[in-house]
Amino acid sequence: MQLSSLLLAGKGKSLTSLFSLLYLILFLPACIVGYTLTPKKWKKYFLLLASYGFFWLISGELVIYLIISTFSVHYFGIWIDRLSGQMKAQLAELPKEQRKQAKAGFVKKQRGVVTLAAVLHIGLLLVLKYSPFFTTNVNTLLNKLGLSVSLEIPKYLMPIGISFFTLQAVSYIVDVYRGVIKADGDLLRLALFMSFFPQIIEGPICRYSETAEQLWNVKPIEYRNLTFGLQRILFGMLKKVVVADRLNLLVSAVFDTKNNYQGGIIAIGAVCYTVQLYMDFSGSMDAVVGTAQIFGITMPENFKRPFFSKTISEFWKRWHISLGAWFRDYIFYPVTTAKKMKKLTSSARKKLGNHYGPLVAGSIALFCVWFCNGLWHGSAWSFIFFGMYHFALILIGNMLEPPVQAVNKKLHIDPKRFWYRLLQIIRTCVLVVIGELFFRARGLRAGLDLFKRMVTDFSFSTLDNRLLKTLHADRYDFAIVGVTLLIIFVVSVLNEKGVCIRESLSKKHVVIRWAVLYALLLYIIIFGAYGLGYKPVDPMYAQY
Amino acid sequence: MERLIEILEDIQPDVDYASCTDLIDGHYLSSLAIISLIAELEEEYDITVPAVEIVPDNFNSAERIMKMIERLQEEY
């Protein structure tokens, strides 16, 4: 579904980007001023009001979904907590030998409540997001069976960010059930956790234990937090406005037009899209983390330099970390620790050994994770394919681990050597780019066609100035993107080595500090892709 | 403790379980090894290890694993 259609009921599309002028010049400064002027004990309510105001501006009356979701998790949480209290009181009065059985009864009740809550929340998401996809496929099947029946394809308006706040809501309920957190009796505190404005569009998917208390016990704005936060937003802006937006027309030309580009040009398009997606999403996360920091709140990081990963498995621990962690904690572990799966692990280990034995149950859980991951990104076969592609890569990686180790040992290859790790990183990047080609293509068939042409007709012979014109790009664009990526690469290498650039900069002389910041701002103003002839990319993850 | 170390050595040999305190953070135990370990612990100690217990802190050393087992055995 396109972002524009999601916004039919929205009031202000430009607010959906944390880099829009409306947000940066009006909304954020107004929030900072309003927050500063608000007395300390009312600051949290100001943040809640600002968050709901923001959501109203981007989603209009669809804010009702967020309100219902918040009320729902609030009462489900209290219900589960009440059952826990009853269980503890009753078990304390029973002799030890009767406790296990009594506990099982309560746990069964609690599980029923958690299941009901999860079904309601995920079910709503499924209906809103996937029923058109499901109905279309049913119609195709009916048509193939020769039946002249056709179901009406439903059209729903979805609020932006529903995929994010639904996962946050489910994690809250499950964490209360698991005893990780106590149910929140304060509806407003829970409402702020669910709606905090910088993260509502594209995440990160926070856990209640990570942010709820911080948000509620907000502090006055400090100079250090303000400057560090603004610097982080500025860095995100560099990624988004200079790189992601500049590549938008080129990517669009390769993926959205019917020009039959050569394989080499498709490969350039796929690489540019991968770079664009990373710059857009991680840039937005910089803005989220930076905005939160202004208010003294530490948000979890969603990216840790994913293109330095040596394996696909590692890549997904560094890319969209909060989503991966959600799938790990609420799908992978529950599946692998289910009773039948544990039995399967024990018996398979006896037959297949220490590596391949647990891989049997592990691969079933991985399949569930990657099927859901693909589907979470969108209701289309191309997204399911994307999930299955990564499932296959991770599974193959796991299966090949013992023979690769044996070959390395035999040939005396040290996997810690720089060139070996570099080759691993290059291989991972190539595999990621192929996956993103399918992710961006307009449907699975288009993706397969692009991939086929990329492999069978891999050549750059048609790449000249005339072709660059059809791609809406010239040497100037490539030079700007190249230099900016180099700057971001240097920053990433330093971050990877544990250097915090903002920290180092803050220790420099005031003239140097401001000179660097002005230089960065000027760089964005001069080389940013905005105005006539450019088409800024909508926040890419907002539509998921 | 001895039995626990035997189980660990059976799943992942060549690690000094008596002294190692970063089994997870040091990548000595992979996620596959953890899956096997949980299945074995449940069978051996008659406990249930819920998903919420699968955090590095509970699995970083044999001592931590033993503490988790004792805690889960105590729970009614």
Side-chain angles (χ1 to χ4, degrees):
Chain A
M1 188 179 281
Q2 292 300 307
L3 192 60
S4 51
S5 60
L6 296 176
L7 283 162
L8 285 176
K11 301 277 183 195
K13 187 175 174 180
S14 54
L15 249 189
T16 57
S17 168
L18 299 185
F19 299 111
S20 68
L21 283 181
L22 192 60
Y23 177 81
L24 289 172
I25 292 181
L26 220 66
F27 190 86
L28 185 57
C31 281
I32 294 172
V33 173
Y35 182 86
T36 309
L37 296 176
T38 306
K40 195 175 176 230
K41 68 173 192 174
W42 295 103
K43 284 188 193 298
K44 53 196 173 196
Y45 302 113
F46 177 85
L47 271 191
L48 179 62
L49 201 68
S51 298
Y52 265 82
F54 182 79
F55 203 75
W56 169 261
L57 287 169
I58 60 169
S59 286
E61 53 266 41
L62 297 181
V63 71
I64 192 73
Y65 285 109
L66 180 62
I67 295 171
I68 291 173
S69 205
T70 306
F71 269 101
S72 165
V73 288
H74 177 66
Y75 288 108
F76 272 115
I78 289 173
W79 189 358
I80 295 164
D81 228 20
R82 203 167 285 162
L83 284 171
S84 291
Q86 286 171 4
M87 177 175 75
K88 274 179 193 159
Q90 203 166 324
L91 293 185
E93 289 172 5
L94 288 173
K96 199 167 182 180
E97 57 276 11
Q98 288 176 23
R99 285 178 190 167
K100 204 168 182 175
Q101 202 182 354
K103 188 184 174 185
F106 274 105
V107 170
K108 202 176 170 187
K109 266 190 205 167
Q110 280 184 317
R111 254 186 215 157
V113 178
V114 174
T115 309
L116 179 66
V119 166
L120 285 178
H121 284 264
I122 305 262
L124 179 69
L125 182 66
L126 287 175
V127 169
L128 292 178
K129 197 169 168 181
Y130 304 102
S131 53
F133 171 63
F134 179 74
T135 318
T136 309
N137 281 290
V138 169
N139 282 344
T140 311
L141 189 69
L142 291 173
N143 193 266
K144 284 201 170 156
L145 291 171
L147 298 167
S148 56
V149 193
S150 181
L151 302 173
E152 196 184 330
I153 296 169
K155 281 180 187 163
Y156 297 110
L157 287 174
M158 278 202 309
I160 284 186
I162 189 169
S163 301
F164 291 93
F165 70 71
T166 299
L167 295 194
Q168 216 161 275
V170 172
S171 79
Y172 170 78
I173 290 290
V174 177
D175 284 356
V176 171
Y177 162 69
R178 288 174 173 177
V180 177
I181 51 168
K182 289 280 289 173
D184 197 336
D186 193 332
L187 177 65
L188 297 180
R189 179 165 47 198
L190 190 59
L192 181 55
F193 160 70
M194 289 283 288
S195 66
F196 184 47
F197 72 89
Q199 61 157 124
I200 196 82
I201 304 175
E202 293 186 284
I205 302 156
C206 297
R207 305 292 169 85
Y208 181 88
S209 53
E210 283 173 327
T211 54
E213 276 307 314
Q214 284 192 72
L215 285 163
W216 205 237
N217 299 318
V218 276
K219 297 172 280 188
I221 291 176
E222 292 167 12
Y223 176 75
R224 183 188 154 91
N225 281 337
L226 179 69
T227 50
F228 271 43
L230 289 174
Q231 285 164 20
R232 184 79 189 254
I233 295 173
L234 204 60
F235 188 60
M237 207 168 170
L238 176 80
K239 293 178 179 173
K240 165 79 167 71
V241 181
V242 181
V243 183
D245 286 351
R246 189 167 287 279
L247 291 173
N248 199 26
L249 288 172
L250 184 151
V251 170
S252 197
V254 172
F255 287 94
D256 301 334
T257 60
K258 288 190 173 163
N259 291 325
N260 284 324
Y261 290 113
Q262 262 182 337
I265 313 301
I266 294 168
I268 291 175
V271 170
C272 286
Y273 173 65
T274 308
V275 171
Q276 183 196 29
L277 183 67
Y278 177 52
M279 291 295 135
D280 176 82
F281 195 17
S282 73
S284 293
M285 287 305 110
D286 288 330
V288 173
V289 176
T291 305
Q293 189 168 10
I294 291 174
F295 298 101
I297 296 148
T298 309
M299 298 291 275
E301 294 288 346
N302 226 2
F303 288 93
K304 275 187 187 156
R305 303 161 292 283
F307 292 99
F308 290 166
S309 306
K310 295 184 287 296
T311 62
I312 288 291
S313 190
E314 186 189 349
F315 178 83
W316 284 99
K317 284 176 190 150
R318 289 166 170 258
W319 171 285
H320 205 172
I321 298 167
S322 62
L323 181 70
W326 196 97
F327 282 124
R328 180 196 66 209
D329 292 345
Y330 303 106
I331 295 184
F332 184 80
Y333 284 142
V335 172
T336 48
T337 54
K339 259 185 191 165
K340 283 187 180 167
M341 295 297 249
K342 279 185 275 204
K343 273 188 185 163
L344 179 65
T345 300
S346 282
S347 60
R349 200 168 75 86
K350 280 166 197 150
K351 287 174 196 154
L352 301 171
N354 276 335
H355 186 81
Y356 294 108
L359 196 55
V360 179
S363 57
I364 295 170
L366 263 183
F367 174 84
C368 298
V369 164
W370 284 102
F371 182 77
C372 293
N373 188 310
L375 213 54
W376 183 87
H377 281 95
S379 52
W381 286 108
S382 56
F383 293 112
I384 296 173
F385 179 85
F386 173 80
M388 290 301 102
Y389 170 77
H390 285 279
F391 162 67
L393 289 179
I394 292 172
L395 192 61
I396 292 167
N398 269 316
M399 288 170 79
L400 290 179
E401 208 179 298
V404 169
Q405 277 174 356
V407 169
N408 284 345
K409 207 173 173 185
K410 200 162 192 184
L411 299 176
H412 305 290
I413 297 170
D414 181 6
K416 285 179 184 158
R417 294 284 290 271
F418 174 75
W419 65 265
Y420 190 89
R421 285 187 291 142
L422 185 66
L423 283 177
Q424 284 181 307
I425 289 171
I426 293 168
R427 176 199 58 187
T428 307
C429 289
V430 170
L431 293 173
V432 168
V433 168
I434 293 170
E436 296 303 346
L437 179 141
F438 285 99
F439 190 79
R440 176 61 176 83
R442 296 176 78 88
L444 182 55
R445 198 167 292 168
L448 289 168
D449 180 49
L450 285 169
F451 180 70
K452 190 177 155 197
R453 270 190 285 144
M454 188 172 78
V455 177
T456 57
D457 183 25
F458 193 84
S459 167
F460 297 100
S461 62
T462 57
L463 186 62
D464 55 18
N465 284 337
R466 219 173 56 188
L467 184 95
L468 283 176
K469 219 170 185 180
T470 71
L471 291 170
H472 306 280
D474 53 27
R475 288 182 169 84
Y476 175 74
D477 287 314
F478 285 111
I480 291 171
V481 168
V483 170
T484 313
L485 288 179
L486 193 66
I487 295 169
I488 294 165
F489 176 74
V490 171
V491 171
S492 301
V493 170
L494 290 170
N495 285 339
E496 189 75 3
K497 289 185 172 176
V499 179
C500 177
I501 293 171
R502 287 178 297 168
E503 198 69 60
S504 313
L505 191 63
S506 71
K507 286 172 190 152
K508 302 276 181 225
H509 190 272
V510 67
V511 177
I512 297 173
R513 247 165 35 213
W514 283 100
V516 171
L517 290 178
Y518 273 117
L520 185 58
L521 188 62
L522 271 176
Y523 188 90
I524 295 167
I525 291 169
I526 295 168
F527 299 116
Y530 52 86
L532 276 178
Y534 292 106
K535 188 173 162 251
V537 58
D538 284 329
M540 295 163 111
Y541 260 72
Q543 59 187 301
Y544 299 131
Chain B
M1 192 60 140
E2 271 174 36
R3 179 68 193 124
L4 173 64
I5 289 180
E6 265 176 41
I7 293 171
L8 284 164
E9 277 171 350
D10 184 39
I11 290 170
Q12 181 71 61
D14 305 325
V15 181
D16 181 9
Y17 290 103
S19 63
C20 187
T21 54
D22 59 345
L23 292 173
I24 303 293
D25 298 334
H27 306 289
Y28 294 101
L29 287 182
S30 65
S31 54
L32 291 177
I34 291 290
I35 294 173
S36 295
L37 179 62
I38 289 170
E40 293 305 316
L41 294 181
E42 292 200 357
E43 211 173 294
E44 181 69 29
Y45 296 96
D46 189 29
I47 52 167
T48 304
V49 182
V52 68
E53 296 286 351
I54 310 171
V55 287
D57 195 41
N58 281 344
F59 289 89
N60 259 334
S61 68
E63 202 186 333
R64 296 293 310 160
I65 298 170
M66 201 63 226
K67 277 198 173 147
M68 179 190 71
I69 294 167
E70 285 165 1
R71 186 163 42 77
L72 291 171
Q73 279 175 329
E74 277 299 303
E75 277 184 14
Y76 38 73

